[in-house]
Amino acid sequence: MALRRIGQVLVDLGFITEQQLELLLQEKKAKPDELLGQIALRMNMITEDQLAQALGEQFNLPVVQLADIVVPPEVLARITEPMAQLYKIIPIALRDNTLTVAMCEPQKLSIIDELRTFLGYDVKPVVATEREIRQALDRYYSGTESVEGVIKQIEEDEELNKAAQALSEDGPLDLTSVEALADSAPVRKLLNMVLLMAIKDHASDLHFEPFENEFKIRIRADGVLYEMVPPPRHLAFAITTRIKVMANLDIAERRLPQDGKIRLTVGGHPVDLRVSVLPTMFGESVVMRVLDRSVVSLDLNNVGMDPTTLAQFREVIRRPNGIVLVTGPTGSGKTTT
């Protein structure tokens, strides 16, 4: 059965008339990037509750009242504050391996796929109003969660620390234990938070560097390298392994350099992460280059060359021999060029 359009659903539910739908469609043509439901809200044709009911009807999803739901702390901990704020979601239940998430934009199916990728759970969406989502974000996420807080939680997790220390020691590598550790919720949570922060801050690079007695995470933004609060040293192996899993690299290979790529869609924006893993004296070092493809244009005509230079450049690159050097300081656009 074909999915009904939201405008027709609003008409079928009696929230708007056919004449109002025509007005909405005309406004939609003028502003194609705005969702029809949001246009109806802006034009005061419907309420947020009516929009939520219509979205639930359209996608055959239950509509919940978040004010009537008390979210257990262990469920809330599955999604970090940056992720909840970015996607405008609230986790409300966890049963077996299925996480139920309240969202106000169920039409953005990519969000559900992204959550599955980040969290490793099956995700069951339900619909809530944007007003209730924001109120729940203020209620449950008071702005206190940070990388430092996540690291503190990890340090207090004795079972995780014992497993990480056991795998960090020299000896035979149990791939099953390695995969389980890399897929553990605390490691996922920490790495997800670091990646989301880096993308949100428009960072160009992330560095994960093991040293003899510490493991440093650094983010380069606007050409400046910022150092984050370091996680426990014995988690270096788990974090680098998690990155290798995401980049489809060989987790059993720890003596040779490896290169890979992670493709994500964060908040509807495609993001590429180029991953380079290099063995060092104290473990594997990882460098991730962040390329947000939504904010760059890879069209040669939009690079910024004047017509004469552009014509000369096109002539040069058509030659069968030679090399073109693209040089410049950090952040100048070498990668995107």
Side-chain angles (χ1 to χ4, degrees), residues 118-184:
F118 274 125
L119 303 175
Y121 293 110
D122 291 330
V123 177
K124 177 184 176 182
V126 296
V127 182
T129 66
E130 184 173 356
R131 180 188 66 254
E132 285 195 316
I133 292 287
R134 294 195 180 281
Q135 289 174 348
L137 287 172
D138 291 338
R139 183 164 67 251
Y140 291 116
Y141 296 100
S142 59
T144 57
E145 185 165 34
S146 61
V147 172
E148 293 89 339
V150 174
I151 290 175
K152 185 176 180 181
Q153 293 174 17
I154 291 175
E155 290 175 340
E156 295 172 352
D157 191 330
E158 295 183 3
E159 184 176 342
L160 174 67
N161 290 329
K162 288 180 180 178
Q165 287 174 344
L167 287 173
S168 298
E169 297 173 355
D170 294 333
L173 192 63
D174 183 354
L175 291 183
T176 302
S177 299
V178 170
E179 290 177 351
L181 180 63
D183 202 46
S184 63

Short mmCIF file of all heavy atoms in Angstrom, two decimals, residues 118-184:
data_model
loop_
_atom_site.label_atom_id
_atom_site.label_comp_id
_atom_site.label_asym_id
_atom_site.label_seq_id
_atom_site.Cartn_x
_atom_site.Cartn_y
_atom_site.Cartn_z
N PHE A 118 24.84 3.98 14.89
CA PHE A 118 25.55 4.51 16.05
C PHE A 118 25.39 3.62 17.28
O PHE A 118 26.36 3.39 18.02
CB PHE A 118 25.05 5.91 16.38
CG PHE A 118 25.72 7.01 15.61
CD1 PHE A 118 24.98 7.91 14.87
CD2 PHE A 118 27.09 7.15 15.63
CE1 PHE A 118 25.60 8.93 14.16
CE2 PHE A 118 27.72 8.16 14.93
CZ PHE A 118 26.97 9.05 14.19
N LEU A 119 24.17 3.14 17.53
CA LEU A 119 23.86 2.51 18.81
C LEU A 119 23.96 0.99 18.79
O LEU A 119 24.16 0.37 19.83
CB LEU A 119 22.45 2.92 19.26
CG LEU A 119 22.19 4.43 19.38
CD1 LEU A 119 20.73 4.69 19.70
CD2 LEU A 119 23.10 5.04 20.44
N GLY A 120 23.76 0.38 17.64
CA GLY A 120 23.81 -1.07 17.57
C GLY A 120 22.53 -1.74 18.05
O GLY A 120 22.51 -2.95 18.28
N TYR A 121 21.45 -0.98 18.19
CA TYR A 121 20.15 -1.53 18.58
C TYR A 121 19.18 -1.49 17.40
O TYR A 121 19.33 -0.68 16.48
CB TYR A 121 19.53 -0.71 19.72
CG TYR A 121 20.25 -0.77 21.03
CD1 TYR A 121 20.93 0.34 21.53
CD2 TYR A 121 20.25 -1.93 21.80
CE1 TYR A 121 21.59 0.30 22.74
CE2 TYR A 121 20.91 -1.98 23.02
CZ TYR A 121 21.58 -0.87 23.48
OH TYR A 121 22.23 -0.91 24.68
N ASP A 122 18.17 -2.36 17.46
CA ASP A 122 17.01 -2.16 16.61
C ASP A 122 16.25 -0.96 17.18
O ASP A 122 16.09 -0.86 18.40
CB ASP A 122 16.11 -3.39 16.60
CG ASP A 122 16.76 -4.57 15.89
OD1 ASP A 122 17.55 -4.33 14.97
OD2 ASP A 122 16.47 -5.73 16.27
N VAL A 123 15.81 -0.08 16.32
CA VAL A 123 15.16 1.15 16.78
C VAL A 123 13.69 1.13 16.38
O VAL A 123 13.36 0.95 15.21
CB VAL A 123 15.85 2.40 16.19
CG1 VAL A 123 15.12 3.67 16.62
CG2 VAL A 123 17.31 2.45 16.63
N LYS A 124 12.83 1.31 17.37
CA LYS A 124 11.39 1.36 17.14
C LYS A 124 10.92 2.80 17.38
O LYS A 124 10.95 3.28 18.51
CB LYS A 124 10.66 0.41 18.09
CG LYS A 124 9.15 0.45 17.98
CD LYS A 124 8.50 -0.45 19.02
CE LYS A 124 6.99 -0.36 18.99
NZ LYS A 124 6.36 -1.20 20.04
N PRO A 125 10.50 3.51 16.33
CA PRO A 125 10.09 4.90 16.52
C PRO A 125 8.63 5.03 16.96
O PRO A 125 7.78 4.21 16.60
CB PRO A 125 10.27 5.50 15.12
CG PRO A 125 10.04 4.35 14.19
CD PRO A 125 10.51 3.11 14.91
N VAL A 126 8.38 6.04 17.76
CA VAL A 126 7.02 6.47 18.08
C VAL A 126 7.00 7.99 17.90
O VAL A 126 8.04 8.63 17.83
CB VAL A 126 6.60 6.08 19.52
CG1 VAL A 126 6.56 4.58 19.69
CG2 VAL A 126 7.54 6.70 20.55
N VAL A 127 5.80 8.55 17.82
CA VAL A 127 5.67 9.97 17.49
C VAL A 127 5.29 10.77 18.73
O VAL A 127 4.46 10.35 19.54
CB VAL A 127 4.60 10.18 16.39
CG1 VAL A 127 4.50 11.65 16.01
CG2 VAL A 127 4.93 9.34 15.16
N ALA A 128 5.94 11.93 18.86
CA ALA A 128 5.59 12.91 19.90
C ALA A 128 5.67 14.29 19.27
O ALA A 128 6.28 14.47 18.21
CB ALA A 128 6.52 12.80 21.10
N THR A 129 5.07 15.27 19.91
CA THR A 129 5.14 16.63 19.37
C THR A 129 6.53 17.21 19.62
O THR A 129 7.24 16.80 20.55
CB THR A 129 4.10 17.54 20.03
OG1 THR A 129 4.43 17.70 21.42
CG2 THR A 129 2.69 16.97 19.91
N GLU A 130 6.90 18.16 18.78
CA GLU A 130 8.21 18.80 18.95
C GLU A 130 8.26 19.54 20.29
O GLU A 130 9.31 19.57 20.94
CB GLU A 130 8.48 19.78 17.81
CG GLU A 130 9.85 20.42 17.87
CD GLU A 130 10.17 21.25 16.65
OE1 GLU A 130 9.36 21.27 15.70
OE2 GLU A 130 11.26 21.88 16.64
N ARG A 131 7.14 20.10 20.71
CA ARG A 131 7.10 20.80 22.00
C ARG A 131 7.43 19.84 23.14
O ARG A 131 8.24 20.16 24.02
CB ARG A 131 5.71 21.40 22.20
CG ARG A 131 5.54 22.15 23.53
CD ARG A 131 4.10 22.56 23.77
NE ARG A 131 3.22 21.40 23.97
CZ ARG A 131 2.36 20.95 23.07
NH1 ARG A 131 2.25 21.53 21.89
NH2 ARG A 131 1.60 19.90 23.33
N GLU A 132 6.83 18.65 23.10
CA GLU A 132 7.09 17.68 24.17
C GLU A 132 8.52 17.14 24.11
O GLU A 132 9.13 16.88 25.15
CB GLU A 132 6.09 16.52 24.06
CG GLU A 132 4.70 16.87 24.54
CD GLU A 132 3.86 15.63 24.75
OE1 GLU A 132 3.92 14.73 23.89
OE2 GLU A 132 3.17 15.53 25.79
N ILE A 133 9.04 16.99 22.90
CA ILE A 133 10.43 16.53 22.76
C ILE A 133 11.38 17.54 23.41
O ILE A 133 12.28 17.18 24.17
CB ILE A 133 10.80 16.35 21.27
CG1 ILE A 133 10.03 15.16 20.66
CG2 ILE A 133 12.30 16.15 21.11
CD1 ILE A 133 10.51 13.81 21.09
N ARG A 134 11.16 18.82 23.13
CA ARG A 134 12.04 19.85 23.69
C ARG A 134 11.90 19.92 25.21
O ARG A 134 12.88 20.12 25.93
CB ARG A 134 11.73 21.21 23.05
CG ARG A 134 12.06 21.25 21.56
CD ARG A 134 12.11 22.67 21.03
NE ARG A 134 12.42 22.70 19.61
CZ ARG A 134 13.64 22.56 19.11
NH1 ARG A 134 14.67 22.37 19.93
NH2 ARG A 134 13.84 22.60 17.81
N GLN A 135 10.70 19.79 25.70
CA GLN A 135 10.49 19.79 27.15
C GLN A 135 11.19 18.60 27.80
O GLN A 135 11.80 18.73 28.87
CB GLN A 135 8.99 19.77 27.46
CG GLN A 135 8.28 21.08 27.13
CD GLN A 135 6.77 20.98 27.31
OE1 GLN A 135 6.22 19.88 27.48
NE2 GLN A 135 6.08 22.11 27.26
N ALA A 136 11.11 17.45 27.14
CA ALA A 136 11.77 16.25 27.67
C ALA A 136 13.29 16.39 27.62
O ALA A 136 14.00 15.94 28.53
CB ALA A 136 11.32 15.02 26.89
N LEU A 137 13.80 17.02 26.56
CA LEU A 137 15.24 17.26 26.48
C LEU A 137 15.71 18.14 27.64
O LEU A 137 16.75 17.89 28.25
CB LEU A 137 15.60 17.92 25.14
CG LEU A 137 15.53 17.02 23.90
CD1 LEU A 137 15.70 17.84 22.63
CD2 LEU A 137 16.60 15.93 23.96
N ASP A 138 14.92 19.16 27.95
CA ASP A 138 15.27 20.04 29.07
C ASP A 138 15.16 19.30 30.40
O ASP A 138 15.93 19.55 31.33
CB ASP A 138 14.34 21.26 29.09
CG ASP A 138 14.60 22.20 27.91
OD1 ASP A 138 15.70 22.14 27.35
OD2 ASP A 138 13.69 22.97 27.55
N ARG A 139 14.19 18.39 30.48
CA ARG A 139 13.95 17.69 31.74
C ARG A 139 15.00 16.61 32.00
O ARG A 139 15.50 16.48 33.12
CB ARG A 139 12.55 17.06 31.71
CG ARG A 139 12.16 16.36 33.00
CD ARG A 139 10.67 16.10 33.07
NE ARG A 139 10.21 15.12 32.07
CZ ARG A 139 9.48 15.41 31.01
NH1 ARG A 139 9.12 16.67 30.78
NH2 ARG A 139 9.10 14.47 30.16
N TYR A 140 15.32 15.85 30.97
CA TYR A 140 16.21 14.70 31.16
C TYR A 140 17.68 15.02 30.89
O TYR A 140 18.56 14.40 31.48
CB TYR A 140 15.78 13.55 30.25
CG TYR A 140 14.46 12.93 30.65
CD1 TYR A 140 13.36 12.99 29.80
CD2 TYR A 140 14.31 12.28 31.87
CE1 TYR A 140 12.15 12.42 30.15
CE2 TYR A 140 13.11 11.70 32.24
CZ TYR A 140 12.03 11.77 31.37
OH TYR A 140 10.83 11.21 31.73
N TYR A 141 17.91 15.94 29.97
CA TYR A 141 19.30 16.30 29.65
C TYR A 141 19.52 17.73 30.10
O TYR A 141 19.19 18.68 29.40
CB TYR A 141 19.56 16.18 28.14
CG TYR A 141 19.43 14.77 27.61
CD1 TYR A 141 18.28 14.35 26.96
CD2 TYR A 141 20.47 13.86 27.75
CE1 TYR A 141 18.15 13.06 26.46
CE2 TYR A 141 20.36 12.57 27.25
CZ TYR A 141 19.20 12.18 26.61
OH TYR A 141 19.09 10.90 26.12
N SER A 142 20.10 17.87 31.27
CA SER A 142 20.26 19.19 31.87
C SER A 142 21.51 19.89 31.40
O SER A 142 21.89 20.93 31.94
CB SER A 142 20.29 19.07 33.40
OG SER A 142 21.36 18.23 33.80
N GLY A 143 22.19 19.32 30.40
CA GLY A 143 23.41 19.93 29.91
C GLY A 143 24.65 19.50 30.68
O GLY A 143 25.74 20.00 30.45
N THR A 144 24.47 18.55 31.60
CA THR A 144 25.61 18.12 32.42
C THR A 144 26.39 16.99 31.78
O THR A 144 27.52 16.73 32.17
CB THR A 144 25.12 17.66 33.80
OG1 THR A 144 24.16 16.60 33.64
CG2 THR A 144 24.45 18.81 34.54
N GLU A 145 25.78 16.29 30.80
CA GLU A 145 26.50 15.17 30.20
C GLU A 145 27.57 15.69 29.26
O GLU A 145 27.34 16.58 28.45
CB GLU A 145 25.54 14.25 29.45
CG GLU A 145 26.24 13.02 28.93
CD GLU A 145 25.26 11.94 28.51
OE1 GLU A 145 24.20 12.28 28.01
OE2 GLU A 145 25.61 10.76 28.68
N SER A 146 28.73 15.12 29.38
CA SER A 146 29.86 15.55 28.57
C SER A 146 30.78 14.36 28.38
O SER A 146 30.57 13.29 28.94
CB SER A 146 30.61 16.70 29.26
OG SER A 146 31.11 16.25 30.51
N VAL A 147 31.81 14.58 27.58
CA VAL A 147 32.81 13.53 27.40
C VAL A 147 33.43 13.18 28.75
O VAL A 147 33.67 12.01 29.06
CB VAL A 147 33.88 13.98 26.40
CG1 VAL A 147 35.02 12.97 26.35
CG2 VAL A 147 33.28 14.15 25.02
N GLU A 148 33.68 14.21 29.56
CA GLU A 148 34.26 13.96 30.88
C GLU A 148 33.36 13.06 31.72
O GLU A 148 33.83 12.15 32.41
CB GLU A 148 34.48 15.29 31.61
CG GLU A 148 35.55 16.18 30.99
CD GLU A 148 34.98 17.10 29.93
OE1 GLU A 148 33.89 16.80 29.39
OE2 GLU A 148 35.62 18.12 29.62
N GLY A 149 32.04 13.32 31.65
CA GLY A 149 31.10 12.50 32.41
C GLY A 149 31.07 11.06 31.94
O GLY A 149 31.00 10.13 32.75
N VAL A 150 31.11 10.88 30.62
CA VAL A 150 31.10 9.52 30.07
C VAL A 150 32.38 8.78 30.48
O VAL A 150 32.34 7.61 30.85
CB VAL A 150 30.98 9.57 28.53
CG1 VAL A 150 31.12 8.17 27.94
CG2 VAL A 150 29.64 10.17 28.13
N ILE A 151 33.51 9.47 30.42
CA ILE A 151 34.78 8.85 30.81
C ILE A 151 34.75 8.46 32.29
O ILE A 151 35.23 7.38 32.68
CB ILE A 151 35.95 9.80 30.52
CG1 ILE A 151 36.14 9.93 29.00
CG2 ILE A 151 37.23 9.31 31.17
CD1 ILE A 151 37.18 10.94 28.60
N LYS A 152 34.15 9.30 33.12
CA LYS A 152 34.04 8.97 34.54
C LYS A 152 33.20 7.72 34.75
O LYS A 152 33.53 6.85 35.58
CB LYS A 152 33.44 10.15 35.31
CG LYS A 152 33.41 9.94 36.81
CD LYS A 152 32.88 11.17 37.54
CE LYS A 152 32.87 10.94 39.05
NZ LYS A 152 32.35 12.13 39.77
N GLN A 153 32.11 7.61 33.99
CA GLN A 153 31.27 6.41 34.08
C GLN A 153 32.07 5.17 33.67
O GLN A 153 31.95 4.11 34.28
CB GLN A 153 30.04 6.56 33.18
CG GLN A 153 29.07 7.64 33.63
CD GLN A 153 27.95 7.85 32.63
OE1 GLN A 153 27.70 7.01 31.77
NE2 GLN A 153 27.27 8.98 32.72
N ILE A 154 32.88 5.31 32.63
CA ILE A 154 33.68 4.19 32.16
C ILE A 154 34.70 3.78 33.22
O ILE A 154 34.92 2.59 33.47
CB ILE A 154 34.39 4.55 30.84
CG1 ILE A 154 33.36 4.67 29.71
CG2 ILE A 154 35.45 3.52 30.48
CD1 ILE A 154 33.93 5.15 28.40
N GLU A 155 35.32 4.77 33.85
CA GLU A 155 36.32 4.47 34.88
C GLU A 155 35.71 3.72 36.05
O GLU A 155 36.39 2.95 36.73
CB GLU A 155 36.96 5.77 35.36
CG GLU A 155 37.87 6.42 34.32
CD GLU A 155 38.38 7.77 34.77
OE1 GLU A 155 37.76 8.36 35.68
OE2 GLU A 155 39.41 8.23 34.22
N GLU A 156 34.41 3.94 36.29
CA GLU A 156 33.75 3.28 37.41
C GLU A 156 33.18 1.91 37.04
O GLU A 156 32.66 1.20 37.90
CB GLU A 156 32.62 4.18 37.94
CG GLU A 156 33.13 5.50 38.53
CD GLU A 156 32.00 6.46 38.87
OE1 GLU A 156 30.84 6.15 38.50
OE2 GLU A 156 32.27 7.50 39.49
N ASP A 157 33.26 1.56 35.76
CA ASP A 157 32.74 0.27 35.29
C ASP A 157 33.83 -0.79 35.45
O ASP A 157 34.69 -0.97 34.58
CB ASP A 157 32.30 0.39 33.83
CG ASP A 157 31.51 -0.83 33.35
OD1 ASP A 157 31.76 -1.93 33.87
OD2 ASP A 157 30.66 -0.67 32.46
N GLU A 158 33.83 -1.49 36.57
CA GLU A 158 34.90 -2.44 36.87
C GLU A 158 34.94 -3.60 35.89
O GLU A 158 36.01 -4.05 35.47
CB GLU A 158 34.72 -2.97 38.30
CG GLU A 158 34.88 -1.91 39.38
CD GLU A 158 34.75 -2.50 40.77
OE1 GLU A 158 34.60 -3.75 40.87
OE2 GLU A 158 34.81 -1.73 41.75
N GLU A 159 33.77 -4.09 35.49
CA GLU A 159 33.73 -5.23 34.57
C GLU A 159 34.34 -4.86 33.22
O GLU A 159 35.13 -5.62 32.64
CB GLU A 159 32.28 -5.68 34.39
CG GLU A 159 32.14 -6.93 33.53
CD GLU A 159 30.70 -7.40 33.46
OE1 GLU A 159 29.89 -6.99 34.33
OE2 GLU A 159 30.38 -8.17 32.54
N LEU A 160 33.99 -3.67 32.71
CA LEU A 160 34.54 -3.23 31.44
C LEU A 160 36.05 -3.03 31.55
O LEU A 160 36.81 -3.42 30.65
CB LEU A 160 33.87 -1.92 31.01
CG LEU A 160 34.44 -1.25 29.75
CD1 LEU A 160 34.18 -2.10 28.52
CD2 LEU A 160 33.85 0.14 29.57
N ASN A 161 36.49 -2.43 32.63
CA ASN A 161 37.92 -2.17 32.80
C ASN A 161 38.73 -3.47 32.88
O ASN A 161 39.83 -3.57 32.32
CB ASN A 161 38.15 -1.33 34.06
CG ASN A 161 37.65 0.09 33.90
OD1 ASN A 161 37.67 0.64 32.80
ND2 ASN A 161 37.19 0.70 34.98
N LYS A 162 38.19 -4.48 33.57
CA LYS A 162 38.90 -5.76 33.65
C LYS A 162 39.02 -6.40 32.27
O LYS A 162 40.07 -6.92 31.90
CB LYS A 162 38.16 -6.70 34.60
CG LYS A 162 38.29 -6.32 36.07
CD LYS A 162 37.53 -7.30 36.95
CE LYS A 162 37.65 -6.92 38.43
NZ LYS A 162 36.88 -7.85 39.30
N ALA A 163 37.93 -6.35 31.50
CA ALA A 163 37.95 -6.94 30.16
C ALA A 163 38.93 -6.20 29.26
O ALA A 163 39.68 -6.81 28.49
CB ALA A 163 36.55 -6.92 29.55
N ALA A 164 38.93 -4.86 29.36
CA ALA A 164 39.83 -4.06 28.52
C ALA A 164 41.29 -4.31 28.88
O ALA A 164 42.15 -4.43 28.01
CB ALA A 164 39.48 -2.58 28.67
N GLN A 165 41.57 -4.39 30.18
CA GLN A 165 42.95 -4.63 30.61
C GLN A 165 43.43 -6.01 30.17
O GLN A 165 44.58 -6.18 29.77
CB GLN A 165 43.04 -4.49 32.12
CG GLN A 165 42.95 -3.04 32.60
CD GLN A 165 42.89 -2.93 34.11
OE1 GLN A 165 42.64 -3.91 34.81
NE2 GLN A 165 43.12 -1.73 34.63
N ALA A 166 42.54 -6.99 30.22
CA ALA A 166 42.92 -8.35 29.81
C ALA A 166 43.27 -8.39 28.33
O ALA A 166 44.24 -9.05 27.93
CB ALA A 166 41.78 -9.32 30.11
N LEU A 167 42.52 -7.68 27.51
CA LEU A 167 42.78 -7.69 26.08
C LEU A 167 43.95 -6.80 25.70
O LEU A 167 44.54 -6.96 24.64
CB LEU A 167 41.53 -7.23 25.31
CG LEU A 167 40.39 -8.25 25.27
CD1 LEU A 167 39.15 -7.64 24.64
CD2 LEU A 167 40.80 -9.49 24.49
N SER A 168 44.27 -5.84 26.55
CA SER A 168 45.38 -4.94 26.26
C SER A 168 46.73 -5.61 26.49
O SER A 168 47.76 -5.17 25.99
CB SER A 168 45.29 -3.68 27.13
OG SER A 168 44.11 -2.97 26.83
N GLU A 169 46.73 -6.69 27.26
CA GLU A 169 47.98 -7.39 27.56
C GLU A 169 48.44 -8.19 26.34
O GLU A 169 47.64 -8.64 25.53
CB GLU A 169 47.78 -8.31 28.76
CG GLU A 169 47.42 -7.57 30.04
CD GLU A 169 47.06 -8.52 31.16
OE1 GLU A 169 47.01 -9.74 30.89
OE2 GLU A 169 46.82 -8.05 32.29
N ASP A 170 49.74 -8.36 26.23
CA ASP A 170 50.30 -9.15 25.14
C ASP A 170 49.89 -10.60 25.29
O ASP A 170 49.80 -11.14 26.39
CB ASP A 170 51.83 -9.04 25.13
CG ASP A 170 52.29 -7.63 24.80
OD1 ASP A 170 51.53 -6.92 24.11
OD2 ASP A 170 53.39 -7.24 25.25
N GLY A 171 49.63 -11.23 24.17
CA GLY A 171 49.23 -12.63 24.20
C GLY A 171 48.29 -12.93 23.05
O GLY A 171 48.03 -12.07 22.20
N PRO A 172 47.76 -14.16 23.00
CA PRO A 172 46.84 -14.53 21.93
C PRO A 172 45.61 -13.62 21.91
O PRO A 172 45.10 -13.22 22.96
CB PRO A 172 46.46 -15.98 22.27
CG PRO A 172 47.54 -16.46 23.18
CD PRO A 172 48.02 -15.26 23.94
N LEU A 173 45.15 -13.30 20.71
CA LEU A 173 44.03 -12.38 20.55
C LEU A 173 42.75 -13.16 20.34
O LEU A 173 42.62 -13.91 19.37
CB LEU A 173 44.29 -11.45 19.36
CG LEU A 173 43.37 -10.23 19.23
CD1 LEU A 173 43.53 -9.31 20.42
CD2 LEU A 173 43.68 -9.48 17.94
N ASP A 174 41.80 -13.01 21.25
CA ASP A 174 40.49 -13.64 21.13
C ASP A 174 39.57 -12.68 20.39
O ASP A 174 39.09 -11.69 20.96
CB ASP A 174 39.94 -13.96 22.52
CG ASP A 174 38.59 -14.69 22.46
OD1 ASP A 174 38.05 -14.83 21.35
OD2 ASP A 174 38.09 -15.09 23.52
N LEU A 175 39.32 -12.94 19.09
CA LEU A 175 38.56 -12.00 18.27
C LEU A 175 37.13 -11.83 18.78
O LEU A 175 36.56 -10.74 18.68
CB LEU A 175 38.53 -12.47 16.82
CG LEU A 175 39.86 -12.40 16.06
CD1 LEU A 175 39.68 -12.84 14.61
CD2 LEU A 175 40.43 -10.98 16.11
N THR A 176 36.56 -12.88 19.34
CA THR A 176 35.19 -12.77 19.86
C THR A 176 35.14 -11.78 21.02
O THR A 176 34.25 -10.92 21.10
CB THR A 176 34.68 -14.14 20.34
OG1 THR A 176 34.73 -15.06 19.24
CG2 THR A 176 33.25 -14.03 20.85
N SER A 177 36.12 -11.87 21.92
CA SER A 177 36.18 -10.95 23.05
C SER A 177 36.48 -9.53 22.59
O SER A 177 35.94 -8.56 23.13
CB SER A 177 37.24 -11.41 24.05
OG SER A 177 36.94 -12.69 24.55
N VAL A 178 37.33 -9.41 21.58
CA VAL A 178 37.67 -8.10 21.04
C VAL A 178 36.43 -7.42 20.46
O VAL A 178 36.15 -6.25 20.73
CB VAL A 178 38.76 -8.22 19.95
CG1 VAL A 178 38.94 -6.90 19.22
CG2 VAL A 178 40.08 -8.65 20.58
N GLU A 179 35.67 -8.16 19.66
CA GLU A 179 34.46 -7.60 19.05
C GLU A 179 33.43 -7.22 20.11
O GLU A 179 32.76 -6.19 20.01
CB GLU A 179 33.87 -8.59 18.06
CG GLU A 179 34.72 -8.79 16.80
CD GLU A 179 34.14 -9.83 15.87
OE1 GLU A 179 33.19 -10.52 16.29
OE2 GLU A 179 34.64 -9.96 14.74
N ALA A 180 33.31 -8.06 21.13
CA ALA A 180 32.35 -7.77 22.20
C ALA A 180 32.73 -6.50 22.95
O ALA A 180 31.88 -5.67 23.28
CB ALA A 180 32.27 -8.95 23.16
N LEU A 181 34.03 -6.33 23.21
CA LEU A 181 34.48 -5.14 23.91
C LEU A 181 34.28 -3.89 23.06
O LEU A 181 33.80 -2.86 23.54
CB LEU A 181 35.96 -5.29 24.29
CG LEU A 181 36.59 -4.11 25.04
CD1 LEU A 181 35.90 -3.91 26.39
CD2 LEU A 181 38.09 -4.33 25.24
N ALA A 182 34.64 -3.98 21.78
CA ALA A 182 34.49 -2.83 20.89
C ALA A 182 33.03 -2.46 20.69
O ALA A 182 32.71 -1.30 20.41
CB ALA A 182 35.14 -3.13 19.54
N ASP A 183 32.14 -3.44 20.85
CA ASP A 183 30.71 -3.21 20.64
C ASP A 183 29.98 -2.88 21.94
O ASP A 183 28.77 -2.70 21.94
CB ASP A 183 30.08 -4.44 19.99
CG ASP A 183 28.78 -4.12 19.28
OD1 ASP A 183 28.74 -3.13 18.53
OD2 ASP A 183 27.79 -4.86 19.47
N SER A 184 30.71 -2.79 23.05
CA SER A 184 30.07 -2.52 24.33
C SER A 184 29.50 -1.10 24.35
O SER A 184 30.00 -0.19 23.70
CB SER A 184 31.09 -2.69 25.47
OG SER A 184 32.14 -1.75 25.35
#
